[in-house]
Amino acid sequence: MRGPALVAGAVALLGGLTACGDGAATNAPRPTAADRATATDGPAPTGRGTGSPTPSPPQAAAESPTAGDTAASASSSARTDGRCHSSELRARVGRVDPGAGQRNFPVVLTNVSDRTCTLYGYPGTAFVDASGRQLGPDPRRAPSAPETVTLTPGASAWSGLSFASPEISGARAATPDALLVTPPDERNSLEVHWTAGEVPVGGNESTVSVTALAPGTGP
């Protein structure tokens, strides 16, 4: 009976093929080259053109100025550039204020520039004759507490110029042609024509003194 035997053999062979088809390793599709790269190499490294920012070199932060450095720089600049220069000032001598044998004059410096500037300390002063020769010693600084005087355009600061009246003190006297006034920390002097008569230039009681600059035009 070959017919049934052949049928049985065919059924058995079909069952064996079906059992082999259930194994994943036998019929699974082969991985492509891209699949192998993904499975073995992991995520592709980030490089140029990915949009990721390039980290700054470590020294960049150290070289950037801090807020404190900026403030210090601004402060230094203000101290240097904020001073009133001789070319920005006009000098004059105010009315005499006599008292107890003394002659006292306000020496006034006015800001004639278009910017705000500052003065600090004592002005330099010297009496000179018509040829520019100094008369008498340099005036001395009277004890006082200097302060920074801020001058807006048109504002003034003053210093007191004082000496004993020569006719009372007996000091050797002369009549100057001008008073030279040098603003603090400046080299160029401002010349003011002197019209207040004799000043002491030698001998006893010939000292002339000046005070530190203060706001305003006089006492």
Side-chain angles (χ1 to χ4, degrees):
M1 300 277 303
R2 294 180 63 186
L6 290 173
V7 173
V11 171
L13 179 60
L14 181 61
L17 291 174
T18 302
C20 290
D22 290 338
T26 302
N27 294 327
R30 289 189 178 186
T32 64
D35 293 334
R36 288 196 299 271
T38 302
T40 59
D41 299 337
T46 301
R48 294 183 181 178
T50 62
S52 301
T54 302
S56 300
Q59 64 270 24
E63 294 173 354
S64 299
T66 63
D69 293 337
T70 302
S73 177
S75 177
S76 176
S77 177
R79 286 194 301 270
T80 301
D81 299 337
R83 187 181 80 240
C84 297
H85 301 289
S86 298
S87 60
E88 299 174 304
L89 299 169
R90 182 180 68 242
R92 66 181 179 87
V93 176
R95 183 183 303 176
V96 62
D97 179 22
Q102 288 286 114
R103 305 188 72 190
N104 308 299
F105 299 87
V107 177
V108 181
L109 293 173
T110 300
N111 180 6
V112 294
S113 74
D114 58 359
R115 74 178 185 108
T116 297
C117 58
T118 60
L119 292 171
Y120 177 84
Y122 295 79
T125 54
F127 292 111
V128 296
D129 61 18
S131 65
R133 180 175 62 90
Q134 182 171 334
L135 300 174
D138 291 335
R140 66 175 179 83
R141 294 177 175 182
S144 55
E147 61 177 303
T148 298
V149 182
T150 300
L151 298 183
T152 56
S156 300
W158 72 284
S159 171
L161 176 75
S162 301
F163 53 85
S165 300
E167 60 269 21
I168 296 176
S169 68
R172 183 163 54 86
T175 301
D177 181 72
L179 175 70
L180 300 183
V181 182
T182 308
D185 300 316
E186 290 290 295
R187 292 178 179 271
N188 296 325
S189 299
L190 305 172
E191 184 173 313
V192 181
H193 183 56
W194 184 259
T195 59
E198 291 186 327
V199 301
V201 295
N204 295 333
E205 301 296 331
S206 61
T207 300
V208 179
S209 65
V210 291
T211 63
L213 288 159
T217 59

